[in-house]
């Protein structure tokens, strides 16, 4: 279905079993998942100029102490087809006693999240994570897409592993590669597209530039995950991006998430994995599984005609033999 035709399905304890069965059935056809997590704010705010170590330290402090409120999940494929969008409402967070940031809670309430209903009728995030892991085990490689996803990934990993956040950003990236495998961050991708402000735009502004319509309400996980999927698909199409070049990179941290799941499941042997090589102006990515040649893509992709910015120029993808 087209992006604007998608209905976001609200999931509570009462319909959890049926909706997870729907997710399971759709993953047989759609192998990409855009996700978003809503949570009760930041106990520590990180300055823009903070070091990577400080930034990750704040993330660990926040994620280890706060509880998730919603999880949004949208399934789609490379052809731009969206198979469905779900919003899981969790009962973990108790607004009367759990740690929170008042301004964030007011923002979530103003955008329609009923925290009292979540507490009474929502799903335990541990039950959700356990069932999702069962479903994922029945399918092939899943590719995960997020927007400015460091915190989303932190909360998601905490749910899936039921452990504290790793002590260092290097360990975090390694664990993410082992648990999820293939991860894309739309905000990181925007850094390499002319006209998108070096990735400094929020999801809402980025969607307006790319003319992707929001379905639902901002700051609700289902709507944000659906919009993330739409922006990812539009960006890849408009800029002619070779998506493999951006796999594993998150906006705001250096270590790459190495796709351990894909290496083991798809290639069946580390010997089939050809690491990308890098140069000042170009990056190269494998053309296929076990391929002996790579795609080369420019470091910055120029904007083509459709968005009417000054002096558009499209730089094509060039095959190179290694």
């Amino acid at each position: 279905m087209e992006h604007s035709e998608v209905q976001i399905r609200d999931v509570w304890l009462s319909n959890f079993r049926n909706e997870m069965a729907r997710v399971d059935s759709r993953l047989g056809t759609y192998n990409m998942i855009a996700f978003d997590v809503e949570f009760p704010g930041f106990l520590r705010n990180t300055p823009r100029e903070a070091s990577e170590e400080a930034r990750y330290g704040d993330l660990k402090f926040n994620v280890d102490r706060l509880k998730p409120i919603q999880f949004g999940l949208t399934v789609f494929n490379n052809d731009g087809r969206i198979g469905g969008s779900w919003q899981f409402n969790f009962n973990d967070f108790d607004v009367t006693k759990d740690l929170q940031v008042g301004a964030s809670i007011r923002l979530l309430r103003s955008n329609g999240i009923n925290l009292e209903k979540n507490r009474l009728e929502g799903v335990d995030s541990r039950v959700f994570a356990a069932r999702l892991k069962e479903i994922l085990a029945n399918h092939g490689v899943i590719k995960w897409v997020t927007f400015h996803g460091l915190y989303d990934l932190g909360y998601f990993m905490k749910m899936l592993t039921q452990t504290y956040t790793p002590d260092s950003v290097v360990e975090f990236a390694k664990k993410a590669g082992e648990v999820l495998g293939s991860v894309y961050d739309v905000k990181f991708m925007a850094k390499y597209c002319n006209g998108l402000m070096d990735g400094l735009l929020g999801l809402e502004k980025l969607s307006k530039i790319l003319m992707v319509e929001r379905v639902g309400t901002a700051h609700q996980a289902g709507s944000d995950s659906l919009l993330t999927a739409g922006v990812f698909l539009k960006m890849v199409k408009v800029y002619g991006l070779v998506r493999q070049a951006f796999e594993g990179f998150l906006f705001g941290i250096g270590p790459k998430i190495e796709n351990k799941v894909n290496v083991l499941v798809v290639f069946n042997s580390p010997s089939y994995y050809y690491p990308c090589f890098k140069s000042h102006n170009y990056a190269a990515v494998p053309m296929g599984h076990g391929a002996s040649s790579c795609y080369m893509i420019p470091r910055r992709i120029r904007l083509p005609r459709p968005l009417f910015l000054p002096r558009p120029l499209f730089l094509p993808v060039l095959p190179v033999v290694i």
Side-chain angles (χ1 to χ4, degrees):
M1 66 186 80
E2 299 298 330
H3 177 270
S4 59
E5 300 171 351
V6 178
Q7 177 185 1
I8 301 168
R9 305 181 70 87
D10 250 318
V11 184
W12 307 91
L13 185 59
S14 59
N15 64 346
F16 174 72
R17 184 188 297 265
N18 289 338
E19 293 304 326
M20 289 303 283
R22 287 178 184 269
V23 173
D24 191 6
S25 67
R26 298 297 170 84
L27 286 178
T29 305
Y30 302 90
N31 70 332
M32 304 190 76
I33 297 178
F35 68 98
D36 179 78
V37 181
E38 295 299 327
F39 49 90
F42 302 91
L43 299 175
R44 284 185 184 172
N45 283 304
T46 307
R48 185 184 295 272
E49 67 278 3
S51 67
E52 182 177 277
E53 181 181 3
R55 184 178 296 110
Y56 183 77
D58 288 345
L59 175 137
K60 178 172 172 57
F61 182 90
N62 289 319
V63 171
D64 284 348
R65 287 163 176 77
L66 297 173
K67 297 178 180 179
I69 293 173
Q70 282 185 337
F71 186 88
L73 182 159
T74 297
V75 300
F76 63 106
N77 63 17
N78 295 330
D79 299 327
R81 303 291 292 176
I82 294 177
S85 186
W86 290 263
Q87 180 167 275
F88 294 87
N89 298 282
F90 295 142
N91 65 11
D92 306 48
F93 177 71
D94 186 341
V95 71
T96 66
K97 63 181 183 181
D98 286 328
L99 290 172
Q100 59 195 267
V101 177
S104 298
I105 295 301
R106 290 191 292 274
L107 176 65
L108 295 177
R109 287 190 185 279
S110 69
N111 282 281
I113 295 181
N114 186 331
L115 297 172
E116 289 73 25
K117 183 177 180 179
N118 274 34
R119 185 65 178 165
L120 292 173
E121 302 179 26
V123 181
D124 189 313
S125 67
R126 294 169 297 182
V127 174
F128 163 75
R131 180 67 183 114
L132 182 61
K133 286 192 288 185
E134 290 176 356
I135 289 173
L136 294 174
N138 295 329
H139 298 281
V141 175
I142 300 296
K143 300 182 183 300
W144 302 89
V145 179
T146 185
F147 181 86
H148 205 178
L150 188 57
Y151 272 83
D152 299 291
L153 203 60
Y155 280 103
F156 191 27
M157 295 268 293
K158 180 183 174 183
M159 284 189 277
L160 291 176
T161 63
Q162 290 299 302
T163 60
Y164 287 113
T165 310
D167 291 331
S168 72
V169 68
V170 172
E171 293 174 8
F172 176 85
K174 179 181 177 182
K175 190 66 175 178
E178 293 170 352
V179 174
L180 296 178
S182 180
V183 179
Y184 296 88
D185 188 336
V186 174
K187 191 174 181 70
F188 178 86
M189 294 168 66
K191 289 173 59 178
Y192 299 90
C193 300
N194 270 12
L196 300 185
M197 299 289 293
D198 292 326
L200 298 180
L201 298 174
L203 181 60
E204 193 72 31
K205 290 184 179 179
L206 193 59
S207 68
K208 290 179 179 179
I209 291 175
L210 293 170
M211 294 176 283
V212 179
E213 182 181 355
R214 179 184 283 278
V215 176
T217 306
H219 300 295
Q220 290 205 22
S223 179
D224 284 355
S225 75
L226 179 56
L227 192 61
T228 297
V231 169
F232 174 86
L233 290 168
K234 189 67 173 289
M235 189 181 296
V236 169
K237 180 179 179 180
V238 169
Y239 288 91
L241 300 180
V242 178
R243 69 178 193 193
Q244 293 95 327
F246 303 95
E247 182 178 338
F249 294 101
L250 290 183
F251 189 93
I253 64 170
K256 181 183 178 183
I257 297 172
E258 297 291 349
N259 186 350
K260 302 299 183 182
V261 173
N262 278 11
V263 169
L264 294 175
V265 176
V266 177
F267 301 137
N268 203 30
S269 167
S271 64
Y272 285 95
Y273 178 64
Y274 287 80
C276 299
F277 69 86
K278 298 178 180 179
S279 69
H280 180 69
N281 295 315
Y282 293 91
V285 295
M287 294 179 70
H289 302 155
S292 60
S293 56
C294 284
Y295 284 119
M296 284 190 71
I297 66 164
R299 289 286 184 195
R300 176 171 293 275
I301 308 298
R302 293 283 181 181
L303 187 67
R305 259 314 153 188
L307 297 187
F308 305 104
L309 290 183
R311 301 190 66 184
L313 172 64
F314 174 67
L315 299 180
V317 173
L318 306 173
V320 218
V321 176
I322 294 178

